Amino acid sequence: WMRLQAYMSAARSQSHLHENRSLATNLNSVIFHTRMVDQLDEVLDDVSDLGLLHYYPKVLEYAFAVCNNTSQARYVIAVPQTCAMFVDGNARFCVEERTTLGERGVKAVNHYLELISKDVSQLFGQMCDEYVRLNSTLFAYHATHILKEGRPSRGEKSRKHPQAEFIIPGKESERKSREHVSRLDNCFAQINDLCYTLNHVPSIMVWGHTFVPREYLLGPVEEQFVRVLCSLLKYQHEAMDIARPSEVLSGVIVSLKLHFGLGHPVFVSSTIFFHLVFLFSLFFFSYIQIE
C-alpha cells in the first residue's frame, strides 16, 4: 500500500491519489483494522510514542513555559523526558536520520535541564538576599536608632509615635488571613516544586548520554552563593573598606542554613559545595600572602 501511494503520487502516473480519495480511505481503514487485530502492541507503541514532537519544538517550549509558571512546575521534568524520546521517532525507512535525532535530543535535554537549574538558582539567590536583609534588622545599631528616636530631646515634647525607618523584626511574619502570601512564601513554594521535579528521576538516558538532573544545580547555585558572599562584603574600591566581620559572618551563617534547607527536597552535597566555594574564594588571598 505504501508503494502504491508513492506510485500514484508521482507526476507520470496515469491515476493520481488525490483523484481516488475513496480508495485511500478504504485501504487505510483495512490496514488499521488489520493492525488492531494482528499488531496491537505495535499500535500502542506508535500511539504512545512522543518522539514525533521533535518536529514541533514550539509545542515543547510552550508546554515548558506554561508548566514552569504555574502550579504544575513539579511536573516540568516531563519536557526533558519527552526530548529523550526523539530517537524513537525515527522511521525504519530513514535510518540515516537517527544520528541527527539523537544529537537533537541530547541538546534539548541539556537545554531544558539548564533552564530548570537556572530558575532554582535565581530563587535561591532571591531568598538569600531576603534572609540577609531580615537578619540585618537584628543588628544592634538598629535598636539604638529606635531608642534614640523614642527618647525626647531637651526643650521638645515627647513624641507619642516615634517613626521608624525600617520594619520592626518579626513584622514580616504577621498575616491578615491564611490567604495572604508573601514574597518568601512564593519563593519557597516555587523552589520546592522545582527541586521536586529535579529529584523525580535519578537519570535520563539519551543517545548514549546519561543526564543526572540534580547535578545541574551545583554550578548555578555555586555562582549565586559566591555572588551573595561578595555582596555581604560591601567592598568599596575607592575607600578600600569592607563591612564589619561580625555582619559578614552573620550573613554567611544565614546563607549556609538556607543552603542546608535546600538539601531536603533534593539531594545536594552541601559539604563538597562549601569546600569548593570557600577554597575558591580564599585561594586568591592565600596566594597573595605566600607571594
Side-chain angles (χ1 to χ4, degrees), residues 124 127-129 131 188 253-263:
F124 175 76
M127 294 173 64
C128 282
D129 294 338
Y131 270 97
F188 268 114
I253 292 175
V254 170
S255 302
L256 293 181
K257 290 181 179 180
L258 186 59
H259 189 277
F260 278 116
L262 184 64

Side-chain angles (χ1 to χ4, degrees), residues 113-175:
L113 289 179
E114 286 181 350
L115 289 180
I116 296 174
S117 59
K118 184 178 179 180
D119 293 339
V120 174
S121 65
Q122 289 179 354
L123 291 172
F124 175 76
Q126 294 176 9
M127 294 173 64
C128 282
D129 294 338
E130 188 67 16
Y131 270 97
V132 169
R133 185 189 66 81
L134 294 175
N135 182 70
S136 64
T137 60
L138 301 176
F139 294 154
Y141 58 82
H142 286 303
T144 56
H145 182 69
I146 295 177
L147 294 176
K148 183 178 179 180
E149 286 189 352
R151 181 183 302 172
S153 58
R154 296 180 179 179
E156 295 183 1
K157 297 182 179 180
S158 61
R159 291 174 292 181
K160 297 182 179 180
H161 302 285
Q163 297 179 355
E165 296 182 356
F166 70 104
I167 301 176
I168 299 176
K171 195 73 174 178
E172 69 280 351
S173 299
E174 295 183 359
R175 297 288 189 274

